[in-house]
Amino acid sequence: MSLGSIPILSRLYDLDDFGIWATFMALMMIGKTIASGGFHVSLMLPKDDDKAKDLLALSYSFNWLTIFVTIAALLGLIYLAPTIIPAFHVPLFLFSIPLSVFIEGKSQAIHNWLNRDMKYKEMSYSTIAQTTTTVVLQILFGVIGTDLNGLILGTLIGQVAMLLALLYLSKLPFFLKVSMDRMRAVFKEYKSFLTLGVTGNLINNSASQLPFVFFGGNFGVDMNGQFSMVQQKILAAPINLISAAVSPVFFKEANKAHLAQDGSLKDLVNKVNLVMWSLIIIPIFVVILWGPDIFSFVLGEKWRLAGEYAQWLAPLMGARFVTHPLSYLIDVKQRLRAQLVFNSMLLTATIVIFYEPILHLTSFDTVKAYGVFVFILQAFFLVYLSHLRKDEN
């Protein structure tokens, strides 16, 4: 979603539309963690292109399994927690989320394949295709009105546009066949990306996305619309636009520096740390000081509460902005167990804060507790990542 389109969409859609969309995005983001078995990340690591292609084929294979896993998980969620997805939207969710997760998984693998070859221009073209398609269609659906949620439909069609662009630009086929013996060999060598990486990322994504599921269930879809606007759309936008653009380049350069063992990794990490903080520090203070006024002026008075939430969440978003590229040091150094520990702590904190029967917090106190405590966890993780800049003896 384009940051510039948010003021328009905030006037075309109701709060409950944003609340339902937040639930859709949360479930999709959790699901896409398993979409390629984690092997799309490992594409950057082999020096041998043939081995990397074997990993790409392995990612493709795991991606098909996620369709069935996602459908089963959705049916279980609807049975156990029927209030999370409104009955009217159940057919749309059952169709769109498995398809969305599948598209995201294949796109992740192709994206990393392009990154391996340093084809950054092609990567940016696919992002432009997705963003443009999504924004145009969301605005169009908002203007004409639909019985279904136009925000969800626009998002799904935008993902299709991204995948088509990636397939065209990478010149990769939709299906990729490699002998089972070769796939078994790379699976054995890189299986930690499935056993530890996927588990850690699944826990991390659950910790990041479950708040939108719990918040809507506890306080209603309108309140979830306020919370998702600030957390998913506004404060997360810098991460999606700038940090996500820096991350693939950092991953590639960090892996080269790590292999060189000449001290260049330390210099690279210090430089990225400095640049990322210099980009985000002023916006953090602006939101803390004038968040409610900014939100009500740009989005409309009905979004003032979102601005009050933003004041407490801005430091956390700043820490995540800086952490996003540096987190690839976990993959470069293959410290997946440490990531698993951190993500487990993050998920535990999220459940304790957002599951209302535990602390019995109000909606505002929930946001405050989340913003402060998770910021502290994120800061400790950032310190650990900075420690990984050292060369191995």
mmCIF file of all heavy atoms in Angstrom, residues 346-382:
data_model
loop_
_atom_site.group_PDB
_atom_site.id
_atom_site.type_symbol
_atom_site.label_atom_id
_atom_site.label_comp_id
_atom_site.label_asym_id
_atom_site.label_seq_id
_atom_site.Cartn_x
_atom_site.Cartn_y
_atom_site.Cartn_z
ATOM 1 N N LEU A 346 9.397 -12.761 22.027
ATOM 2 C CA LEU A 346 8.504 -11.764 21.444
ATOM 3 C C LEU A 346 7.068 -12.277 21.379
ATOM 4 O O LEU A 346 6.114 -11.556 21.704
ATOM 5 C CB LEU A 346 8.997 -11.405 20.043
ATOM 6 C CG LEU A 346 8.341 -10.217 19.343
ATOM 7 C CD1 LEU A 346 8.548 -8.942 20.127
ATOM 8 C CD2 LEU A 346 8.907 -10.065 17.930
ATOM 9 N N LEU A 347 6.897 -13.524 20.983
ATOM 10 C CA LEU A 347 5.554 -14.100 20.911
ATOM 11 C C LEU A 347 4.935 -14.216 22.299
ATOM 12 O O LEU A 347 3.746 -13.917 22.477
ATOM 13 C CB LEU A 347 5.613 -15.474 20.240
ATOM 14 C CG LEU A 347 4.273 -16.211 20.110
ATOM 15 C CD1 LEU A 347 3.280 -15.396 19.298
ATOM 16 C CD2 LEU A 347 4.477 -17.588 19.494
ATOM 17 N N THR A 348 5.721 -14.637 23.270
ATOM 18 C CA THR A 348 5.208 -14.751 24.638
ATOM 19 C C THR A 348 4.737 -13.397 25.158
ATOM 20 O O THR A 348 3.644 -13.279 25.739
ATOM 21 C CB THR A 348 6.297 -15.308 25.568
ATOM 22 O OG1 THR A 348 6.715 -16.590 25.103
ATOM 23 C CG2 THR A 348 5.776 -15.432 26.997
ATOM 24 N N ALA A 349 5.543 -12.357 24.942
ATOM 25 C CA ALA A 349 5.162 -11.012 25.376
ATOM 26 C C ALA A 349 3.890 -10.548 24.678
ATOM 27 O O ALA A 349 3.005 -9.933 25.299
ATOM 28 C CB ALA A 349 6.302 -10.036 25.100
ATOM 29 N N THR A 350 3.771 -10.843 23.397
ATOM 30 C CA THR A 350 2.594 -10.425 22.633
ATOM 31 C C THR A 350 1.330 -11.081 23.160
ATOM 32 O O THR A 350 0.291 -10.420 23.336
ATOM 33 C CB THR A 350 2.777 -10.779 21.143
ATOM 34 O OG1 THR A 350 3.928 -10.093 20.644
ATOM 35 C CG2 THR A 350 1.564 -10.375 20.330
ATOM 36 N N ILE A 351 1.396 -12.371 23.427
ATOM 37 C CA ILE A 351 0.215 -13.081 23.934
ATOM 38 C C ILE A 351 -0.176 -12.554 25.305
ATOM 39 O O ILE A 351 -1.360 -12.321 25.582
ATOM 40 C CB ILE A 351 0.499 -14.597 23.982
ATOM 41 C CG1 ILE A 351 0.645 -15.143 22.558
ATOM 42 C CG2 ILE A 351 -0.614 -15.326 24.726
ATOM 43 C CD1 ILE A 351 1.059 -16.601 22.494
ATOM 44 N N VAL A 352 0.806 -12.350 26.167
ATOM 45 C CA VAL A 352 0.509 -11.846 27.516
ATOM 46 C C VAL A 352 -0.142 -10.472 27.451
ATOM 47 O O VAL A 352 -1.104 -10.182 28.168
ATOM 48 C CB VAL A 352 1.803 -11.792 28.360
ATOM 49 C CG1 VAL A 352 1.561 -11.043 29.669
ATOM 50 C CG2 VAL A 352 2.305 -13.198 28.638
ATOM 51 N N ILE A 353 0.347 -9.612 26.572
ATOM 52 C CA ILE A 353 -0.170 -8.243 26.488
ATOM 53 C C ILE A 353 -1.529 -8.191 25.807
ATOM 54 O O ILE A 353 -2.438 -7.486 26.272
ATOM 55 C CB ILE A 353 0.826 -7.340 25.735
ATOM 56 C CG1 ILE A 353 2.110 -7.160 26.562
ATOM 57 C CG2 ILE A 353 0.212 -5.970 25.438
ATOM 58 C CD1 ILE A 353 3.247 -6.501 25.802
ATOM 59 N N PHE A 354 -1.708 -8.936 24.738
ATOM 60 C CA PHE A 354 -2.921 -8.797 23.918
ATOM 61 C C PHE A 354 -4.043 -9.756 24.282
ATOM 62 O O PHE A 354 -5.195 -9.501 23.927
ATOM 63 C CB PHE A 354 -2.582 -8.945 22.438
ATOM 64 C CG PHE A 354 -2.030 -7.698 21.828
ATOM 65 C CD1 PHE A 354 -0.664 -7.462 21.824
ATOM 66 C CD2 PHE A 354 -2.867 -6.745 21.280
ATOM 67 C CE1 PHE A 354 -0.143 -6.300 21.274
ATOM 68 C CE2 PHE A 354 -2.364 -5.580 20.729
ATOM 69 C CZ PHE A 354 -0.999 -5.355 20.726
ATOM 70 N N TYR A 355 -3.742 -10.856 24.965
ATOM 71 C CA TYR A 355 -4.812 -11.764 25.356
ATOM 72 C C TYR A 355 -5.480 -11.209 26.610
ATOM 73 O O TYR A 355 -4.957 -11.319 27.709
ATOM 74 C CB TYR A 355 -4.266 -13.168 25.577
ATOM 75 C CG TYR A 355 -5.341 -14.204 25.808
ATOM 76 C CD1 TYR A 355 -6.356 -14.398 24.878
ATOM 77 C CD2 TYR A 355 -5.345 -14.988 26.952
ATOM 78 C CE1 TYR A 355 -7.345 -15.336 25.081
ATOM 79 C CE2 TYR A 355 -6.329 -15.940 27.169
ATOM 80 C CZ TYR A 355 -7.328 -16.101 26.227
ATOM 81 O OH TYR A 355 -8.325 -17.041 26.448
ATOM 82 N N GLU A 356 -6.609 -10.602 26.426
ATOM 83 C CA GLU A 356 -7.261 -9.775 27.455
ATOM 84 C C GLU A 356 -7.452 -10.477 28.798
ATOM 85 O O GLU A 356 -7.258 -9.856 29.854
ATOM 86 C CB GLU A 356 -8.606 -9.263 26.906
ATOM 87 C CG GLU A 356 -9.233 -8.142 27.721
ATOM 88 C CD GLU A 356 -10.108 -8.649 28.843
ATOM 89 O OE1 GLU A 356 -10.534 -9.825 28.779
ATOM 90 O OE2 GLU A 356 -10.366 -7.876 29.784
ATOM 91 N N PRO A 357 -7.821 -11.781 28.844
ATOM 92 C CA PRO A 357 -8.012 -12.418 30.153
ATOM 93 C C PRO A 357 -6.778 -12.482 31.035
ATOM 94 O O PRO A 357 -6.891 -12.729 32.239
ATOM 95 C CB PRO A 357 -8.489 -13.832 29.767
ATOM 96 C CG PRO A 357 -9.115 -13.681 28.428
ATOM 97 C CD PRO A 357 -8.269 -12.652 27.739
ATOM 98 N N ILE A 358 -5.579 -12.272 30.473
ATOM 99 C CA ILE A 358 -4.358 -12.368 31.290
ATOM 100 C C ILE A 358 -4.145 -11.110 32.116
ATOM 101 O O ILE A 358 -4.010 -11.167 33.352
ATOM 102 C CB ILE A 358 -3.122 -12.639 30.396
ATOM 103 C CG1 ILE A 358 -3.265 -14.000 29.704
ATOM 104 C CG2 ILE A 358 -1.834 -12.602 31.239
ATOM 105 C CD1 ILE A 358 -2.109 -14.345 28.783
ATOM 106 N N LEU A 359 -4.085 -9.945 31.484
ATOM 107 C CA LEU A 359 -3.806 -8.691 32.199
ATOM 108 C C LEU A 359 -5.029 -7.787 32.331
ATOM 109 O O LEU A 359 -4.966 -6.800 33.073
ATOM 110 C CB LEU A 359 -2.683 -7.920 31.477
ATOM 111 C CG LEU A 359 -1.317 -8.611 31.396
ATOM 112 C CD1 LEU A 359 -0.323 -7.733 30.651
ATOM 113 C CD2 LEU A 359 -0.796 -8.938 32.788
ATOM 114 N N HIS A 360 -6.086 -8.065 31.588
ATOM 115 C CA HIS A 360 -7.317 -7.259 31.637
ATOM 116 C C HIS A 360 -7.041 -5.785 31.336
ATOM 117 O O HIS A 360 -7.539 -4.887 32.028
ATOM 118 C CB HIS A 360 -8.003 -7.396 33.005
ATOM 119 C CG HIS A 360 -8.337 -8.807 33.372
ATOM 120 N ND1 HIS A 360 -9.363 -9.511 32.777
ATOM 121 C CD2 HIS A 360 -7.768 -9.657 34.272
ATOM 122 C CE1 HIS A 360 -9.424 -10.733 33.300
ATOM 123 N NE2 HIS A 360 -8.461 -10.846 34.206
ATOM 124 N N LEU A 361 -6.261 -5.521 30.306
ATOM 125 C CA LEU A 361 -5.926 -4.148 29.953
ATOM 126 C C LEU A 361 -7.002 -3.531 29.069
ATOM 127 O O LEU A 361 -7.683 -4.230 28.312
ATOM 128 C CB LEU A 361 -4.589 -4.106 29.212
ATOM 129 C CG LEU A 361 -3.357 -4.608 29.972
ATOM 130 C CD1 LEU A 361 -2.139 -4.586 29.058
ATOM 131 C CD2 LEU A 361 -3.102 -3.761 31.210
ATOM 132 N N THR A 362 -7.152 -2.207 29.155
ATOM 133 C CA THR A 362 -8.002 -1.497 28.207
ATOM 134 C C THR A 362 -7.305 -1.433 26.854
ATOM 135 O O THR A 362 -6.118 -1.773 26.730
ATOM 136 C CB THR A 362 -8.287 -0.070 28.696
ATOM 137 O OG1 THR A 362 -7.045 0.668 28.717
ATOM 138 C CG2 THR A 362 -8.893 -0.076 30.096
ATOM 139 N N SER A 363 -8.004 -0.985 25.830
ATOM 140 C CA SER A 363 -7.399 -0.912 24.502
ATOM 141 C C SER A 363 -6.182 -0.001 24.503
ATOM 142 O O SER A 363 -5.136 -0.337 23.918
ATOM 143 C CB SER A 363 -8.431 -0.428 23.476
ATOM 144 O OG SER A 363 -8.930 0.853 23.829
ATOM 145 N N PHE A 364 -6.283 1.154 25.157
ATOM 146 C CA PHE A 364 -5.166 2.099 25.164
ATOM 147 C C PHE A 364 -3.988 1.574 25.982
ATOM 148 O O PHE A 364 -2.826 1.679 25.579
ATOM 149 C CB PHE A 364 -5.614 3.458 25.718
ATOM 150 C CG PHE A 364 -4.889 4.617 25.085
ATOM 151 C CD1 PHE A 364 -5.534 5.819 24.881
ATOM 152 C CD2 PHE A 364 -3.579 4.509 24.665
ATOM 153 C CE1 PHE A 364 -4.883 6.900 24.287
ATOM 154 C CE2 PHE A 364 -2.903 5.574 24.077
ATOM 155 C CZ PHE A 364 -3.569 6.770 23.889
ATOM 156 N N ASP A 365 -4.271 0.969 27.128
ATOM 157 C CA ASP A 365 -3.196 0.412 27.943
ATOM 158 C C ASP A 365 -2.511 -0.758 27.230
ATOM 159 O O ASP A 365 -1.312 -0.986 27.406
ATOM 160 C CB ASP A 365 -3.748 -0.052 29.294
ATOM 161 C CG ASP A 365 -4.073 1.108 30.220
ATOM 162 O OD1 ASP A 365 -3.546 2.212 29.984
ATOM 163 O OD2 ASP A 365 -4.866 0.927 31.162
ATOM 164 N N THR A 366 -3.271 -1.493 26.434
ATOM 165 C CA THR A 366 -2.686 -2.577 25.647
ATOM 166 C C THR A 366 -1.652 -2.029 24.668
ATOM 167 O O THR A 366 -0.541 -2.568 24.542
ATOM 168 C CB THR A 366 -3.782 -3.334 24.872
ATOM 169 O OG1 THR A 366 -4.703 -3.914 25.797
ATOM 170 C CG2 THR A 366 -3.174 -4.430 24.004
ATOM 171 N N VAL A 367 -2.008 -0.952 23.972
ATOM 172 C CA VAL A 367 -1.091 -0.344 23.014
ATOM 173 C C VAL A 367 0.142 0.214 23.726
ATOM 174 O O VAL A 367 1.273 0.059 23.247
ATOM 175 C CB VAL A 367 -1.804 0.771 22.216
ATOM 176 C CG1 VAL A 367 -0.815 1.520 21.333
ATOM 177 C CG2 VAL A 367 -2.922 0.182 21.363
ATOM 178 N N LYS A 368 -0.064 0.865 24.863
ATOM 179 C CA LYS A 368 1.067 1.411 25.618
ATOM 180 C C LYS A 368 2.038 0.308 26.040
ATOM 181 O O LYS A 368 3.261 0.422 25.868
ATOM 182 C CB LYS A 368 0.556 2.145 26.858
ATOM 183 C CG LYS A 368 -0.168 3.446 26.585
ATOM 184 C CD LYS A 368 -0.644 4.066 27.898
ATOM 185 C CE LYS A 368 -1.400 5.363 27.668
ATOM 186 N NZ LYS A 368 -1.898 5.945 28.948
ATOM 187 N N ALA A 369 1.486 -0.760 26.621
ATOM 188 C CA ALA A 369 2.333 -1.857 27.092
ATOM 189 C C ALA A 369 3.099 -2.496 25.936
ATOM 190 O O ALA A 369 4.287 -2.808 26.050
ATOM 191 C CB ALA A 369 1.478 -2.907 27.809
ATOM 192 N N TYR A 370 2.425 -2.658 24.829
ATOM 193 C CA TYR A 370 3.058 -3.251 23.649
ATOM 194 C C TYR A 370 4.186 -2.358 23.138
ATOM 195 O O TYR A 370 5.295 -2.833 22.864
ATOM 196 C CB TYR A 370 2.000 -3.441 22.567
ATOM 197 C CG TYR A 370 2.517 -4.058 21.285
ATOM 198 C CD1 TYR A 370 2.939 -5.381 21.243
ATOM 199 C CD2 TYR A 370 2.558 -3.322 20.104
ATOM 200 C CE1 TYR A 370 3.402 -5.959 20.068
ATOM 201 C CE2 TYR A 370 3.012 -3.889 18.920
ATOM 202 C CZ TYR A 370 3.439 -5.204 18.908
ATOM 203 O OH TYR A 370 3.895 -5.764 17.745
ATOM 204 N N GLY A 371 3.917 -1.061 23.010
ATOM 205 C CA GLY A 371 4.916 -0.138 22.495
ATOM 206 C C GLY A 371 6.166 -0.085 23.353
ATOM 207 O O GLY A 371 7.285 -0.079 22.831
ATOM 208 N N VAL A 372 6.004 -0.076 24.672
ATOM 209 C CA VAL A 372 7.150 0.061 25.577
ATOM 210 C C VAL A 372 7.923 -1.247 25.711
ATOM 211 O O VAL A 372 9.145 -1.294 25.521
ATOM 212 C CB VAL A 372 6.683 0.554 26.966
ATOM 213 C CG1 VAL A 372 7.842 0.522 27.963
ATOM 214 C CG2 VAL A 372 6.112 1.962 26.867
ATOM 215 N N PHE A 373 7.207 -2.331 26.036
ATOM 216 C CA PHE A 373 7.905 -3.569 26.354
ATOM 217 C C PHE A 373 8.556 -4.190 25.119
ATOM 218 O O PHE A 373 9.706 -4.653 25.175
ATOM 219 C CB PHE A 373 6.942 -4.571 27.004
ATOM 220 C CG PHE A 373 7.631 -5.772 27.569
ATOM 221 C CD1 PHE A 373 8.325 -5.695 28.772
ATOM 222 C CD2 PHE A 373 7.615 -6.990 26.902
ATOM 223 C CE1 PHE A 373 8.984 -6.797 29.301
ATOM 224 C CE2 PHE A 373 8.272 -8.102 27.412
ATOM 225 C CZ PHE A 373 8.953 -8.006 28.621
ATOM 226 N N VAL A 374 7.864 -4.184 23.989
ATOM 227 C CA VAL A 374 8.434 -4.797 22.787
ATOM 228 C C VAL A 374 9.573 -3.937 22.240
ATOM 229 O O VAL A 374 10.524 -4.456 21.648
ATOM 230 C CB VAL A 374 7.341 -5.031 21.731
ATOM 231 C CG1 VAL A 374 7.930 -5.625 20.457
ATOM 232 C CG2 VAL A 374 6.281 -5.970 22.277
ATOM 233 N N PHE A 375 9.505 -2.626 22.457
ATOM 234 C CA PHE A 375 10.641 -1.771 22.086
ATOM 235 C C PHE A 375 11.899 -2.189 22.844
ATOM 236 O O PHE A 375 12.994 -2.255 22.278
ATOM 237 C CB PHE A 375 10.330 -0.307 22.368
ATOM 238 C CG PHE A 375 11.533 0.592 22.261
ATOM 239 C CD1 PHE A 375 12.051 0.942 21.025
ATOM 240 C CD2 PHE A 375 12.170 1.069 23.401
ATOM 241 C CE1 PHE A 375 13.180 1.753 20.922
ATOM 242 C CE2 PHE A 375 13.289 1.878 23.310
ATOM 243 C CZ PHE A 375 13.794 2.225 22.062
ATOM 244 N N ILE A 376 11.748 -2.495 24.122
ATOM 245 C CA ILE A 376 12.892 -2.923 24.929
ATOM 246 C C ILE A 376 13.471 -4.232 24.376
ATOM 247 O O ILE A 376 14.695 -4.378 24.222
ATOM 248 C CB ILE A 376 12.479 -3.093 26.403
ATOM 249 C CG1 ILE A 376 12.090 -1.735 27.004
ATOM 250 C CG2 ILE A 376 13.601 -3.733 27.220
ATOM 251 C CD1 ILE A 376 11.501 -1.815 28.398
ATOM 252 N N LEU A 377 12.599 -5.183 24.057
ATOM 253 C CA LEU A 377 13.064 -6.451 23.473
ATOM 254 C C LEU A 377 13.784 -6.207 22.149
ATOM 255 O O LEU A 377 14.846 -6.787 21.885
ATOM 256 C CB LEU A 377 11.878 -7.387 23.254
ATOM 257 C CG LEU A 377 11.302 -8.113 24.471
ATOM 258 C CD1 LEU A 377 10.106 -8.958 24.046
ATOM 259 C CD2 LEU A 377 12.348 -8.980 25.143
ATOM 260 N N GLN A 378 13.202 -5.339 21.312
ATOM 261 C CA GLN A 378 13.784 -5.062 20.003
ATOM 262 C C GLN A 378 15.154 -4.389 20.149
ATOM 263 O O GLN A 378 16.073 -4.662 19.367
ATOM 264 C CB GLN A 378 12.847 -4.165 19.203
ATOM 265 C CG GLN A 378 13.076 -4.166 17.709
ATOM 266 C CD GLN A 378 12.565 -5.433 17.037
ATOM 267 O OE1 GLN A 378 11.451 -5.859 17.286
ATOM 268 N NE2 GLN A 378 13.369 -6.028 16.173
ATOM 269 N N ALA A 379 15.295 -3.535 21.145
ATOM 270 C CA ALA A 379 16.573 -2.857 21.371
ATOM 271 C C ALA A 379 17.661 -3.853 21.762
ATOM 272 O O ALA A 379 18.809 -3.766 21.291
ATOM 273 C CB ALA A 379 16.409 -1.790 22.457
ATOM 274 N N PHE A 380 17.321 -4.818 22.621
ATOM 275 C CA PHE A 380 18.295 -5.841 23.005
ATOM 276 C C PHE A 380 18.706 -6.683 21.794
ATOM 277 O O PHE A 380 19.881 -7.036 21.638
ATOM 278 C CB PHE A 380 17.718 -6.747 24.100
ATOM 279 C CG PHE A 380 17.866 -6.187 25.485
ATOM 280 C CD1 PHE A 380 16.766 -5.765 26.205
ATOM 281 C CD2 PHE A 380 19.120 -6.072 26.071
ATOM 282 C CE1 PHE A 380 16.899 -5.243 27.483
ATOM 283 C CE2 PHE A 380 19.276 -5.553 27.354
ATOM 284 C CZ PHE A 380 18.156 -5.127 28.067
ATOM 285 N N PHE A 381 17.738 -6.993 20.933
ATOM 286 C CA PHE A 381 18.043 -7.781 19.740
ATOM 287 C C PHE A 381 18.949 -7.003 18.793
ATOM 288 O O PHE A 381 19.851 -7.567 18.163
ATOM 289 C CB PHE A 381 16.740 -8.164 19.037
ATOM 290 C CG PHE A 381 16.919 -9.110 17.876
ATOM 291 C CD1 PHE A 381 17.568 -10.328 18.039
ATOM 292 C CD2 PHE A 381 16.429 -8.794 16.616
ATOM 293 C CE1 PHE A 381 17.734 -11.207 16.980
ATOM 294 C CE2 PHE A 381 16.591 -9.664 15.544
ATOM 295 C CZ PHE A 381 17.240 -10.870 15.730
ATOM 296 N N LEU A 382 18.738 -5.695 18.703
ATOM 297 C CA LEU A 382 19.569 -4.852 17.847
ATOM 298 C C LEU A 382 21.007 -4.828 18.348
ATOM 299 O O LEU A 382 21.962 -4.839 17.557
ATOM 300 C CB LEU A 382 18.996 -3.434 17.800
ATOM 301 C CG LEU A 382 19.613 -2.460 16.794
ATOM 302 C CD1 LEU A 382 19.554 -3.031 15.388
ATOM 303 C CD2 LEU A 382 18.888 -1.127 16.855
#
